[in-house]
Amino acid sequence: MAKMNQHLPDDPIQEAVSECRRFLKHEIHDKVLETDLQKATDWVDRIWEKSRQLDLPFLLLPEDYNGAGFSPYSCAVLLDIIAAECAGIASVFALHYTGCIALLSADSRQQALLFPRLTGAGALRPALIAPVFPSETDGNRFEVEANDYGLVIHGTTALTGNALTADIFCVFIEDDDDTGEHITCVVLEKGTPGLRTGRPADLPGLKVNGFAPIIFDHVMVDHQWIVGTRKKAGALMERSKDGLYRFIAAMAMGTARSAFEKASAYARQRYQSGKKIVHHQEIQRLLGNMKMKLSIGTAGYLKSFGDNSNFFRFEAPKPPLAKVFCTDAALEITMDAIQIHGGYGYMHEYGLEKIMRDVKVLQLMLGRNPKCQINTIAEEIQHDR
């Protein structure tokens, strides 16, 4: 397949989308339901390796390092396409891209060491990143001590995506015992002494992505692997989180589009009372409601990238709210699709119950939706003071 190594503007990326769809059809489409039951992380490794043919692992990296030079906007569009086939695979790429957003702020020396690994130069596979953010719900905190060589970190993270398959961990740490307001970003490689993954979680959805806690048993971090300045990475963490919020919204719309297409096709084939059920007004109402949410959700997450003409205050949604709306809408769309299918909608081979489980986990990623809504308004109130 042709490599997509040209810089693409923030407009429809037709060539990239076409290449990605061909890749998904040949490598993913027929294996999604089978691998979901098996929780096949080895399958993820094969997909990750093969995806380098399209530059998918290094879309965000600069062309100077043999990256594709894409924007986060373009990555979100492709994540939408990937999630329509398998949200679990899409989540692997979304978390990796989030880590890339953070590493683009690393200094030139760090980039010169890390970026060749991320493009797979001289290696069997490109390195995969797991971004790690402080938890707002489980109370986990790190103990951080400074010495002449760097930092010593001890503690356990919340559940982290890509934990079982990552080669590089980009970790944001609350580096202050009193207020928790200071954030430090560090980069660690798999195999670092004292760094290990905990017991994998048996989540209901995104099963091919290995979610697990990351355990730091007095891990030594050299000064050279602190990204930016110690305790000054708060803005970088928010920028990275905003990227992931947008990526989650894009994945939610991809899964919802798949659910809609399944329901629409089924309604055009299924007969009831002598006519196809698509001709019943209630089915048309359901499909129309689903399409409305799909259209508005897709427009919303694309608009969240900041194309704001400032005519209205609420023109571009904040990234956390885009995530909330799109994941909630995706679950509603999927439930309507199941209703159109009747009892068949709950059968694994129809694919809708997998989509429902995947969307439920997307709702929980980077914070529960109600918490995201509360935090958005709380931050505005704080800024008003």
Side-chain angles (χ1 to χ4, degrees), residues 118-136:
L118 296 176
T119 56
L124 294 177
R125 68 192 286 272
L128 176 64
I129 305 174
V132 183
F133 297 105
S135 172
E136 296 183 356

Side-chain angles (χ1 to χ4, degrees), residues 161-353:
N162 289 1
L164 302 183
T165 51
D167 305 287
I168 296 171
F169 298 89
C170 183
V171 187
F172 291 94
I173 302 169
E174 290 184 344
D175 189 5
D176 189 287
D177 291 334
D178 297 325
T179 66
E181 295 177 354
H182 300 299
I183 300 296
T184 297
C185 179
V186 301
V187 178
L188 294 165
E189 293 189 271
K190 181 180 180 179
T192 298
L195 181 69
R196 68 182 191 276
T197 57
R199 183 176 180 179
D202 188 16
L203 296 179
L206 309 183
K207 287 183 173 293
V208 297
N209 190 333
F211 281 79
I214 311 297
I215 300 170
F216 294 75
D217 187 3
H218 296 94
V219 174
M220 285 286 302
V221 181
D222 192 280
H223 281 299
Q224 66 174 339
W225 292 115
I226 298 175
V227 178
T229 304
R230 184 187 174 195
K231 297 188 178 185
K232 300 295 183 181
L236 175 58
M237 182 179 75
E238 292 307 314
R239 188 161 65 249
S240 302
K241 289 175 70 174
D242 280 351
L244 184 52
Y245 282 129
R246 294 174 174 121
F247 294 155
I248 295 170
M251 290 188 290
M253 288 296 95
T255 60
R257 190 175 64 257
S258 179
F260 172 80
E261 290 173 351
K262 288 177 184 294
S264 181
Y266 182 84
R268 285 168 167 78
Q269 297 168 0
R270 183 74 173 177
Y271 281 85
Q272 186 179 70
S273 302
K275 63 179 180 180
K276 294 179 179 179
I277 64 172
V278 74
H279 296 299
H280 292 273
Q281 283 193 349
E282 178 59 16
I283 299 298
Q284 293 174 352
R285 185 194 68 80
L286 286 173
L287 291 171
N289 191 42
M290 295 159 71
K291 191 168 187 177
M292 174 186 69
K293 293 172 183 175
L294 260 174
S295 300
I296 295 173
T298 302
Y301 88 71
L302 292 174
K303 191 72 172 177
S304 75
F305 281 90
D307 181 17
N308 192 350
S309 57
N310 294 316
F311 293 130
F312 303 102
R313 181 181 177 189
F314 303 113
E315 225 174 277
K318 291 182 179 296
L321 298 184
K323 177 255 186 179
V324 171
F325 181 88
C326 289
T327 55
D328 284 352
L331 184 60
E332 293 165 3
I333 290 167
T334 304
M335 294 303 295
D336 283 345
I338 290 174
Q339 182 175 341
I340 289 173
H341 279 73
Y344 292 116
Y346 293 95
M347 297 175 66
H348 184 73
E349 54 265 37
Y350 281 78
L352 288 171
E353 63 88 29

Side-chain angles (χ1 to χ4, degrees), residues 32 82-92 206 208 251 255 354 358-359 362:
V32 168
I82 297 170
E85 290 289 352
C86 180
I89 289 292
S91 71
V92 173
L206 309 183
V208 297
M251 290 188 290
T255 60
K354 175 188 181 297
D358 287 343
V359 172
L362 290 177

Side-chain angles (χ1 to χ4, degrees), residues 48-118:
W48 182 254
E49 168 57 27
K50 291 180 179 180
S51 71
R52 72 192 302 174
Q53 301 171 42
L54 300 182
D55 292 351
L56 287 179
F58 30 95
L59 291 183
L60 284 172
L61 300 188
E63 294 178 359
D64 291 345
Y65 287 96
N66 295 317
F70 279 25
S71 66
Y73 174 101
S74 300
C75 291
V77 172
L78 292 175
L79 288 170
D80 186 321
I81 302 298
I82 297 170
E85 290 289 352
C86 180
I89 289 292
S91 71
V92 173
F93 285 95
L95 290 163
H96 175 78
Y97 294 153
T98 303
C100 287
I101 290 174
L103 295 185
L104 287 172
S105 295
D107 62 42
S108 58
R109 180 193 52 79
Q110 292 169 331
Q111 290 183 357
L113 291 172
L114 289 171
F115 286 178
R117 287 202 61 197
L118 296 176

